[in-house]
Amino acid sequence: MQLNGKVPIRGALTAITATLLGSGVVHADPKGKVESSVLLYSETNRVSAAEGVFSLTRFLKKDRILNARLTLDGLTGSSPNGATPSNNIQTFTRPSGSDSYKVKAGKTPLDDTFRDRRVGLDGSLTLPVNRLTKLILGAHLSAEQDYTSFGTSAGMTRDIFRKNTTLSASIAFSHDLVTPVAGAPTPLSDMAQPTRSNGEESEGGPSESKNIFDVVVGVTQVINRTTLLRVNYSVDHASGYLNDPYKIVSIVQGQSSAQPGEPTRYINESRPRNRTKRAAYAELRHYIGGHTIDLSYRYFNDSWGIRSQTVDFRYHLPLKVGHSIEPHFRWYHQTQANFYQSYLLDGAGLPNSVSADYRLAPFHAITAGLQYLFPFEEGTHLSLGVEYYQQFGDLSPPAAMGPLSQKNLFPELKAVMVRLGFSYDL
Amino acid sequence: MTSKTETQYRVQQKESYWVVTYSAMAGPCEILLRCKNRSEAEHLASLSFIETRRIEQKLSRYRDDNLVHKINNSRGKPVTVDKEFGDLIDYVENCYQLSDGLFDITSGVLRKAWKFDGEDVKPDQELISSLRKLVGWKHTQWDGATLRLQDGMEIDLGGIGKEYAVDKVADLLFKESGASLMVNFGGDIRAITAEKASLPWVVGIEDPKAANSAIGEIELSNGSIATSGDVRRFCYIDGRRMGHILDPRTGWPIDDAPRSVTVIGNYCLEAGFLATLAMLHGASAETFLTEQNVSYHCIR
Amino acid sequence: MTKRLRFALSVSAIALLFGSLSGCAPIGVQVWERDILAKQEMQLDYQAIDMSLDDHIYFSKEGSSGGRGFGGGGCGCN
């Protein structure tokens, strides 16, 4: 119990005193925060999207936090419809059901009328139960022309071991409606014929729905003064109509027929009506010599047979006062869903489940980007980021039959993202 | 509360500043403000008075309607505390660790064995020993939300209450007005100066042995002064003069403690804690403070 | 490979928990050692909005979702 010869305690004392006085109950500063971010996303020859988020956070009495978020999305361009390329011109019915579009010989069939707008509203309320436990309640509503989603969530966090460990658990439920203009197609049915004769859009066909139930549990652990680790495990179960109503599958002629590999007809995709996704996620933040490293890894698998791994790396490099630059690199790899097939063979009978959606194909992807952050004035920050994203699939799978093995079966995706962020303390 | 409290503080104008005075925290409270006009001074006076009273009511061990009372009468049961109280418990727990157990908010019960009225005393070692069993932060359970004491133990936040109030009031008034100010609750002081250009506050250091005679002046722009030790509260044991600060490890007054220690620090809480801890170091008080690299003044 | 990685991951998480439970491992910090952890870029919700925008893109272009938070949904993009 001798203090003499010990390290002086003054620095620690100043720190704990500042901590105590900083958390004043009478005037919490700041009162809130406005954050917004605009993302421009552009794929080479395909989809362009703009997405804007506007978020308002208010710090209320009794340490309650209210957050409201508005998301606006606009999307336009061409998207692969799932059909295989052909030696001939192919004709497809537009999603509206009223018209058709043609695709040149040898080209990956793209639906060039892909266009959508989305408005999303999210709200959350954080309620401290006591000094260690927080309750977070949330709700969301998202509306597109052909899709509506609404849901709620509830979560809890608990600090233990002098706030060195934080446990968290949350659940969410969402009910989504799929309402394409021409109705949600019946799985495995033939692609509809255009109803152009009267020039009117076909009347709303059947709509479908799905329910999604999510659970996330996590542990955040302070390792030491410069290192923080978070581990999360999430399970997500979706049931109902899980198809993309705009994806079709080509049924092609067999090897021994007159035109092997050429489509005879197209059917609507058929995904299983249930899907369970599981993801284990670990994130490490480490501070070293003024720089911050953020490294995360995710292992994912689902009941459709997809397994994926994601590695994400960010480096925060401060420049002069307040300015910083952040290189970012992401690597992603997934295996295919077990019902993924680029095409079906004519006369071979239909499987229960089939999809030619490239997102269920085996591929890997990389993202590389750079973000610059700079203070605008006190309490205001701006950031500008540019990222490049590319997917690499198996263009000509060796198993593809005859002529199709010469064709581009994975619709290669290259995209550039530009993001402008803004945050302002109220 | 407002109409009743309005008459309980006074606002006067001096040359270039306003003076707010009231009585709270068992002593005189004085606040000097370089604010614009009387109405602002009145507004700040009201804010500070309400805040001081709030903290006094929250931390006092002489009330029966607060958490301190609830904890001290919990008979070994856990008590859930609010955020501010929990922040304070975190703080005193950290102080306990930083002082290797010398600063202990459970040591107040030891006072039952002592009288510091300047007379000779015959210590009752049996009583001291039995009270010592009720002292020791390490015997409590604090998980960050609930505090559990052993039956019979008590906490006393009096050792930091006044300093906490000084810091809270100073921060509150500065956030509200942005004006230069100095808060002085019975010699525990915190000064905040709005801009570098403006004049520092001048604080007279009183000679504790002779009231109303200053032994020096300190210029203070941003910082705190706190004093530990009360030259009027002492006793004699076998002819030796002993101050009123008790060592939680022995239950006895500290040998060779300075009569008073004044420390200049960033925050009033910090200065007050260092002053008290220096007293607990007895003969090596000055060595301890020199190691901490703070300005101080010890009277022996 | 993936199985082993996954195993290693869960083992390290469990080891961490026990480390802090037993209190013997030098894991965690005192309140006065939180200066670096308090930095903006050390917060787990640092740039949360940007992250959510990115996650939304990946949700609509890849077969996986979830991990950092909920598995997603809420839009007809997948």
Side-chain angles (χ1 to χ4, degrees):
Chain A
M1 285 276 183
Q2 271 298 314
L3 272 167
N4 294 345
K6 251 192 75 170
V7 192
I9 60 170
R10 175 116 194 260
L13 182 63
T14 305
I16 60 171
T17 311
T19 304
L20 172 68
L21 297 172
S23 58
V25 280
V26 181
H27 280 233
D29 301 324
K31 291 184 171 68
K33 206 176 193 183
V34 174
E35 290 161 289
S36 83
S37 197
V38 176
L39 176 76
L40 300 173
Y41 171 92
S42 177
E43 294 171 357
T44 314
N45 302 323
R46 282 169 52 186
V47 166
S48 292
E51 185 168 4
V53 180
F54 182 82
S55 157
L56 176 70
T57 307
R58 285 301 302 245
F59 303 123
L60 308 174
K61 276 181 191 156
K62 297 183 180 172
D63 292 303
R64 292 175 183 174
I65 303 168
L66 185 66
N67 176 261
R69 189 187 287 200
L70 172 72
T71 307
L72 297 170
D73 256 331
L75 194 99
T76 174
S78 311
S79 181
N81 64 10
T84 48
S86 156
N87 291 329
N88 303 306
I89 293 176
Q90 298 190 80
T91 306
F92 301 99
T93 309
R94 290 196 192 284
S96 64
S98 62
D99 201 353
S100 61
Y101 58 98
K102 291 189 178 353
V103 172
K104 283 184 192 155
K107 295 284 182 192
T108 300
L110 300 175
D111 172 3
D112 60 357
T113 51
F114 209 53
R115 186 166 290 118
D116 210 349
R117 264 185 223 121
R118 183 168 78 98
V119 179
L121 272 175
D122 283 86
S124 77
L125 180 65
T126 305
L127 299 165
V129 176
N130 57 39
R131 290 184 77 247
L132 302 173
T133 311
K134 268 186 222 151
L135 186 67
I136 303 134
L137 303 172
H140 82 261
L141 177 69
S142 168
E144 292 158 76
Q145 192 191 2
D146 58 356
Y147 199 92
T148 313
S149 168
F150 38 97
T152 58
S153 65
M156 205 160 211
T157 66
R158 168 91 181 170
D159 293 329
I160 51 173
F161 305 129
R162 321 247 153 231
K163 300 192 178 179
N164 279 310
T165 306
T166 304
L167 306 177
S168 64
S170 37
I171 51 169
F173 175 77
S174 176
H175 180 70
D176 294 11
L177 299 172
V178 188
T179 54
V181 176
T186 308
L188 303 178
S189 63
D190 280 345
M191 180 180 72
Q193 292 304 308
T195 56
R196 196 177 7 195
S197 51
N198 55 9
E200 283 172 18
E201 294 201 339
S202 57
E203 279 304 305
S207 67
E208 292 277 359
S209 70
K210 63 182 170 199
N211 292 323
I212 303 157
F213 191 71
D214 272 294
V215 178
V216 187
V217 292
V219 180
T220 302
Q221 176 67 47
V222 172
I223 310 290
N224 56 38
R225 213 170 135 222
T226 56
T227 316
L228 193 64
L229 177 73
R230 164 160 68 167
V231 179
N232 273 1
Y233 185 73
S234 67
V235 180
D236 170 306
H237 181 78
S239 59
Y241 189 84
L242 305 181
N243 299 296
D244 183 324
Y246 310 124
K247 297 286 188 220
I248 55 175
V249 182
S250 302
I251 295 187
V252 302
Q253 300 178 32
Q255 198 70 271
S256 56
S257 50
Q259 288 181 301
E262 285 302 304
T264 56
R265 61 190 177 110
Y266 311 98
I267 59 165
N268 291 299
E269 70 164 22
S270 170
R271 305 185 188 190
R273 288 186 65 84
N274 284 287
R275 184 184 192 184
T276 304
K277 303 179 193 175
R278 292 165 286 264
Y281 175 84
E283 178 180 355
L284 191 74
R285 271 182 199 261
H286 180 63
Y287 181 87
I288 178 162
H291 303 181
T292 309
I293 296 163
D294 178 18
L295 180 66
S296 70
Y297 170 81
R298 177 181 67 177
Y299 177 83
F300 168 97
N301 72 21
D302 72 5
S303 57
W304 289 357
I306 295 176
R307 286 194 313 277
S308 79
Q309 296 191 74
T310 313
V311 177
D312 194 286
F313 175 81
R314 273 168 217 271
Y315 196 88
H316 180 89
L317 184 84
L319 305 169
K320 60 185 189 234
V321 190
H323 292 244
S324 54
I325 195 159
E326 286 180 355
H328 172 219
F329 185 79
R330 179 181 185 269
W331 175 84
Y332 174 79
H333 174 262
Q334 77 173 45
T335 63
Q336 68 169 63
N338 47 33
F339 54 88
Y340 171 80
Q341 298 192 62
S342 321
Y343 56 85
L344 292 170
L345 279 181
D346 196 15
L350 294 178
N352 285 331
S353 300
V354 64
S355 173
D357 189 338
Y358 72 95
R359 294 168 296 186
L360 305 178
F363 69 88
H364 67 273
I366 53 139
T367 308
L370 202 60
Q371 175 157 252
Y372 191 78
L373 298 106
F374 47 106
F376 193 59
E377 53 185 63
E378 201 174 321
T380 306
H381 294 269
L382 281 175
S383 67
L384 179 67
V386 179
E387 302 212 314
Y388 176 76
Y389 176 66
Q390 183 168 0
Q391 291 184 350
F392 303 88
D394 210 344
L395 293 176
S396 312
M401 57 157 283
L404 282 179
S405 67
Q406 308 301 314
K407 296 210 167 67
N408 186 348
L409 294 187
F410 183 85
E412 198 176 51
L413 189 152
K414 295 174 183 169
V416 173
M417 295 179 253
V418 177
R419 195 176 44 218
L420 185 67
F422 167 80
S423 84
Y424 173 70
D425 287 342
L426 290 175
Chain B
M1 182 149 184
T2 46
S3 63
K4 199 180 153 208
T5 57
E6 264 162 24
T7 53
Q8 297 180 352
Y9 53 80
R10 285 179 55 187
V11 180
Q12 293 167 284
Q13 189 169 18
K14 289 268 174 77
E15 308 104 46
S16 61
Y17 53 89
W18 296 82
V19 183
V20 178
T21 48
Y22 49 84
S23 183
M25 315 286 306
C29 298
E30 181 186 75
I31 298 162
L32 309 186
L33 297 161
R34 288 209 177 99
C35 63
K36 288 184 224 95
N37 48 40
R38 173 166 286 275
S39 74
E40 189 178 20
E42 291 275 358
H43 169 62
L44 297 174
S46 161
L47 273 184
S48 67
F49 182 74
I50 292 167
E51 178 70 350
T52 309
R53 273 292 156 89
R54 184 186 73 79
I55 293 169
E56 184 175 29
Q57 285 165 10
K58 185 156 197 154
L59 305 185
S60 169
R61 64 191 165 94
Y62 303 109
R63 299 178 68 95
D64 58 7
D65 60 351
N66 63 10
L67 273 166
V68 176
H69 178 84
K70 201 172 166 192
I71 289 163
N72 288 344
N73 293 278
S74 58
R75 301 183 160 269
K77 291 208 178 65
V79 175
T80 301
V81 305
D82 62 45
K83 178 165 187 320
E84 185 184 25
F85 203 92
D87 288 344
L88 280 162
I89 298 294
D90 273 350
Y91 182 76
V92 296
E93 179 175 76
N94 290 323
C95 288
Y96 174 82
Q97 288 176 5
L98 286 174
S99 67
D100 274 350
L102 282 175
F103 180 91
D104 192 329
I105 58 163
T106 63
S107 62
V109 291
L110 292 170
R111 272 190 302 253
K112 290 173 191 165
W114 298 92
K115 229 184 204 175
F116 296 102
D117 54 4
E119 303 288 316
D120 278 326
V121 294
K122 276 214 177 306
D124 179 350
Q125 185 56 49
E126 215 167 282
L127 177 61
I128 293 168
S129 299
S130 69
L131 290 172
R132 273 250 302 119
K133 293 190 183 105
L134 300 173
V135 175
W137 181 254
K138 61 179 182 286
H139 303 308
T140 66
Q141 285 166 3
W142 167 238
D143 68 1
T146 60
L147 176 64
R148 195 165 85 86
L149 305 186
Q150 309 284 342
D151 194 6
M153 285 180 80
E154 287 180 16
I155 60 165
D156 179 2
L157 293 169
I160 61 160
K162 195 162 65 159
E163 290 90 337
Y164 178 67
V166 168
D167 281 324
K168 290 292 278 187
V169 167
D171 284 344
L172 170 67
L173 296 188
F174 187 69
K175 270 178 198 165
E176 180 73 12
S177 67
S180 296
L181 56 94
M182 184 165 78
V183 178
N184 177 356
F185 288 2
D188 288 335
I189 294 168
R190 167 91 179 271
I192 303 180
T193 301
E195 292 142 36
K196 285 181 188 124
S198 60
L199 294 170
W201 296 101
V202 178
V203 184
I205 302 292
E206 198 178 64
D207 183 350
K209 287 179 245 183
N212 298 326
S213 68
I215 53 170
E217 277 184 349
I218 294 174
E219 283 194 352
L220 199 61
S221 305
N222 287 289
S224 286
I225 301 173
T227 300
S228 179
D230 182 340
V231 288
R232 288 170 295 276
R233 292 185 62 208
F234 58 93
C235 63
Y236 286 97
I237 304 169
D238 300 331
R240 291 185 62 191
R241 188 184 191 280
M242 305 290 267
H244 75 288
I245 297 205
L246 297 169
D247 187 335
R249 296 168 301 183
T250 61
W252 280 62
I254 309 280
D255 267 337
D256 292 325
R259 291 198 184 180
S260 88
V261 178
T262 299
V263 173
I264 301 171
N266 301 321
Y267 303 105
C268 194
L269 271 166
E270 185 189 22
F273 173 73
L274 288 173
T276 306
L277 198 50
M279 293 289 277
L280 287 160
H281 278 78
S284 60
E286 287 88 346
T287 317
F288 166 75
L289 288 170
T290 306
E291 278 170 6
Q292 303 308 322
N293 197 24
V294 285
S295 301
Y296 65 91
H297 187 76
C298 287
I299 292 168
R300 286 198 173 267
Chain C
M1 167 68 189
T2 55
K3 278 251 160 62
R4 221 183 312 152
L5 255 172
R6 197 181 173 201
F7 179 67
L9 212 97
S10 54
V11 165
S12 65
I14 289 163
L16 260 171
L17 269 175
F18 278 96
S20 41
L21 275 171
S22 61
C24 58
I27 207 164
V29 296
Q30 301 284 4
V31 179
W32 55 85
E33 298 172 320
R34 288 190 171 267
D35 50 341
I36 288 167
L37 295 167
K39 283 180 184 288
Q40 213 182 18
E41 61 266 25
M42 284 296 279
Q43 307 308 306
L44 290 171
D45 62 356
Y46 177 58
Q47 295 176 354
I49 299 243
D50 290 348
M51 297 275 189
S52 72
L53 279 174
D54 285 3
D55 283 348
H56 185 237
I57 292 290
Y58 296 129
F59 173 74
S60 67
K61 302 291 165 192
E62 296 174 349
S64 315
S65 63
R68 203 183 345 249
F70 288 126
C75 92
C77 48
N78 196 345

